[in-house]
Amino acid sequence: MIWPVAFAELRPIFDWLYDMVSSTGLPEPWLSVVIYTGLGAMMFGVLAVLALYLVWWERKISAHIQQRFGPMRHGWHGWYQTIMDAIKLLQKEHVDVATRDKFVFFWAPVMCFVAAFLAYVTIPFGEGLIVADLNIGVLYIMAVTTFTIISLLMAGWGSNNKYALLGGMRSAAQVVSYEVPMVASILVVVVFAGSLSMVDIVRAQDGMFYNWFIFRLPFGPIAFLTYIVAATAEANRTPFDIPEAEQELVAGFNIEYSGMKFAMFFLAEFVNMFTVSAIAVTLFLGGWNGVFLPSWFWFLLKTFAVVLLLMLFRWTYPRLRVDQLMEFAWKFLVPLTFANLILGAWMKYAGWYW
Amino acid sequence: MTGYLAVLIFLLVGTGIVLFTFFLSRLIRPFNTYPEKSINYECAEDPIGTSWFQFNNRFYIFALIFVIFDVEVIFLFPWAVAYGQLGLYALVEMVIFILILFFGLYYAWKKGVLKWV
């Protein structure tokens, strides 16, 4: 069967690039530095384009759910609307509050984006398409993405604004609460895969779709659902978006930010959404495994399906109240996920799985 | 260890690119500030006092409970990786460990700490 060029495996392109760079005869540590720098720049480009198109996609979906058209003016169905928005944000004046904490205020958006960006070191986009297969992959991603909380707290504190401080505090309390059930539902997968490396976890799900962990684990669907709920809260998205609840906190932690600084928070939010979907796909939905089509295509297809799910959540559910939110995390999700973990471990010991 | 070199380089590249976009926007954006513009936003009213004041200490309590559970999770990670070779003994140990912490959660629950007032 002949596929168009775009559908071929991407690995040979990267191998060819690697040969090009290594044939220059650089000594070893510097060769790695050059290669990783190139990959980092490439990943930034990919993520920027991805985030722009996720914004466009979200606007179209929200519009169609609310029986509007959404962006229509720029190109076919407004396909370059968000690119124009990005260029506009680049030209915007930064209105900085006079009473801000300068250091904290400046570094918060940088840290927010970098925390989201660092997770992409070890996300497997396809067979062999991973920047570095860290042996503590899952733990690393959990640790790094959690730095987002600190940046949101920094933004809330540095703005010297009551809404921003309240948004930052709420965000920290919420993300911190949903971190526990999220990690507990991930641990079920780690128990069965016996490894923290993202590549090993995908390899443990080789084969047809019934080998995916969502179907193979004793309570796989429950683990997947609790993960998705916790991940939605982690990414600060509706129904868990009280940190930036427009009607009560105006915009939450990013209220005093403008121009590129605001754009970084916005970019990080959508990059985070893609990250949690990519983790869900890697851990529960078989990662790059699939038939006929190349591996990266399957990975992106599944990830965009999960992203679509998160977007539908956002535009169809009402926002939770803050006390409901916290009680749901601590009184329902935490006991449920830990019970799931213990039951899963017991079934692994008893051999009640395939 | 080259994998961790990638982490370091991604950290530097990410920070560098963000700072570069800030620099780029500095070149083309207007600078037109006056004192009224840089007042804190408080729904168009003059802000009352500073915002660095006391806040609800629920946030602190939840953070405290989180720290305990996060330490537990850190202990669970190596357990989960090695579980395949450890067998029943590890399972019982970990159930006891989790139950002790859940007793703490139950206590906090009964004390009404988990209630957001």
Side-chain angles (χ1 to χ4, degrees):
Chain A
M1 200 175 299
I2 301 161
W3 293 105
V5 180
F7 282 97
E9 285 286 350
L10 292 179
R11 185 61 204 256
I13 301 172
F14 283 93
D15 284 343
W16 179 73
L17 282 175
Y18 180 81
D19 288 341
M20 287 275 286
V21 179
S22 61
S23 64
T24 55
L26 270 172
E28 180 33 54
W30 301 113
L31 181 65
S32 300
V33 168
V34 168
I35 286 170
Y36 287 138
T37 311
L39 284 175
M42 207 183 286
M43 194 64 87
F44 181 88
V46 169
L47 288 182
V49 173
L50 196 70
L52 287 180
Y53 276 91
L54 288 181
V55 174
W56 175 68
W57 198 19
E58 170 132 46
R59 288 176 68 177
K60 285 312 258 191
I61 286 177
S62 70
H64 282 285
I65 284 177
Q66 296 166 349
Q67 300 198 331
R68 295 182 284 118
F69 284 119
M72 286 297 276
R73 295 295 172 91
H74 294 283
W76 180 80
H77 279 262
W79 70 268
Y80 64 88
Q81 171 78 49
T82 45
I83 298 173
M84 304 305 269
D85 285 347
I87 295 171
K88 179 202 73 178
L89 278 174
L90 198 65
Q91 303 170 1
K92 281 283 179 182
E93 182 186 353
H94 287 202
V95 183
D96 292 337
V97 194
T99 51
R100 70 192 185 277
D101 183 327
K102 287 203 177 62
F103 179 81
V104 176
F105 188 82
F106 179 80
W107 284 101
V110 181
M111 192 166 167
C112 189
F113 178 76
V114 170
F117 182 62
L118 272 181
Y120 284 83
V121 171
T122 184
I123 283 182
F125 279 91
E127 192 143 26
L129 286 184
I130 182 169
V131 175
D133 180 21
L134 301 183
N135 48 8
I136 54 159
V138 178
L139 180 62
Y140 165 79
I141 289 183
M142 289 297 108
V144 154
T145 48
T146 310
F147 272 98
T148 312
I149 310 171
I150 301 176
S151 71
L152 300 190
L153 264 179
M154 279 162 72
W157 181 260
S159 312
N160 191 6
N161 181 304
K162 296 185 182 78
Y163 295 116
L165 183 66
L166 201 51
M169 287 292 174
R170 279 182 175 190
S171 160
Q174 167 189 323
V175 175
V176 137
S177 298
Y178 280 86
E179 185 80 11
V180 177
M182 184 173 173
V183 176
S185 46
I186 281 174
L187 276 172
V188 188
V189 172
V190 177
V191 162
F192 276 82
S195 171
L196 289 172
S197 145
M198 297 292 264
V199 171
D200 285 353
I201 289 174
V202 177
R203 291 226 185 281
Q205 313 174 59
D206 267 343
M208 291 300 286
F209 68 89
Y210 48 78
N211 277 334
W212 298 354
F213 275 138
I214 185 174
F215 299 118
R216 236 174 81 191
L217 296 186
F219 295 105
I222 295 178
F224 180 68
L225 274 181
T226 50
Y227 174 79
I228 286 289
V229 169
T232 316
E234 285 280 302
N236 282 333
R237 291 180 61 77
T238 326
F240 306 103
D241 75 334
I242 55 158
E244 44 192 285
E246 288 86 354
Q247 291 84 355
E248 33 185 302
L249 289 185
V250 197
F253 54 84
N254 59 24
I255 180 169
E256 294 290 5
Y257 284 90
S258 49
M260 264 339 257
K261 287 179 181 152
F262 168 74
M264 282 304 149
F265 280 115
F266 204 58
L267 190 62
E269 186 189 329
F270 280 87
V271 170
N272 265 332
M273 186 168 75
F274 191 81
T275 313
V276 294
S277 313
I279 298 169
V281 166
T282 312
L283 295 178
F284 293 101
L285 300 178
W288 68 67
N289 286 309
V291 286
F292 302 133
L293 296 170
S295 54
W296 59 269
F297 186 83
W298 274 107
F299 179 84
L300 287 183
L301 191 70
K302 290 172 188 174
T303 310
F304 282 131
V306 179
V307 168
L308 179 65
L309 191 68
L310 293 184
M311 285 181 178
L312 292 181
F313 281 170
R314 172 159 183 178
W315 295 103
T316 47
Y317 287 126
R319 176 182 302 138
L320 266 73
R321 227 167 47 209
V322 63
D323 58 328
Q324 295 167 335
L325 186 94
M326 301 310 260
E327 288 182 15
F328 181 65
W330 287 105
K331 296 184 177 172
F332 181 74
L333 275 185
V334 169
L336 178 71
T337 48
F338 274 94
N340 191 19
L341 174 63
I342 293 174
L343 267 176
W346 162 252
M347 289 193 171
K348 161 117 177 169
Y349 172 72
W352 292 346
Y353 68 102
W354 73 85
Chain B
M1 286 301 283
T2 49
Y4 296 94
L5 183 67
V7 176
L8 179 68
I9 290 174
F10 264 59
L11 182 71
L12 296 178
V13 168
T15 317
I17 292 181
V18 174
L19 292 182
F20 176 72
T21 45
F22 285 1
F23 172 72
L24 206 66
S25 101
R26 194 186 179 81
L27 294 180
I28 55 178
R29 73 176 192 237
F31 290 87
N32 180 24
T33 96
Y34 43 91
E36 286 77 23
K37 204 185 231 176
S38 50
I39 294 179
N40 277 331
Y41 178 73
E42 218 164 283
C43 298
E45 295 287 332
D46 281 342
I48 303 168
T50 167
S51 78
W52 293 326
F53 57 94
Q54 296 169 332
F55 51 86
N56 197 342
N57 90 337
R58 295 279 147 200
F59 294 113
Y60 174 70
I61 292 172
F62 275 100
L64 211 59
I65 303 176
F66 161 73
V67 168
I68 297 164
F69 270 87
D70 216 34
V71 171
E72 177 188 12
V73 156
I74 289 297
F75 280 118
L76 282 173
F77 262 106
W79 168 80
V81 174
Y83 181 69
Q85 296 110 50
L86 294 178
L88 187 62
Y89 184 69
L91 177 60
V92 174
E93 288 260 299
M94 201 38 77
V95 168
I96 293 170
F97 182 55
I98 291 176
L99 281 183
I100 291 172
L101 275 162
F102 264 80
F103 181 71
L105 183 67
Y106 177 75
Y107 179 74
W109 189 333
K110 280 291 146 195
K111 276 293 219 182
V113 172
L114 300 185
K115 221 173 175 58
W116 193 282
V117 209

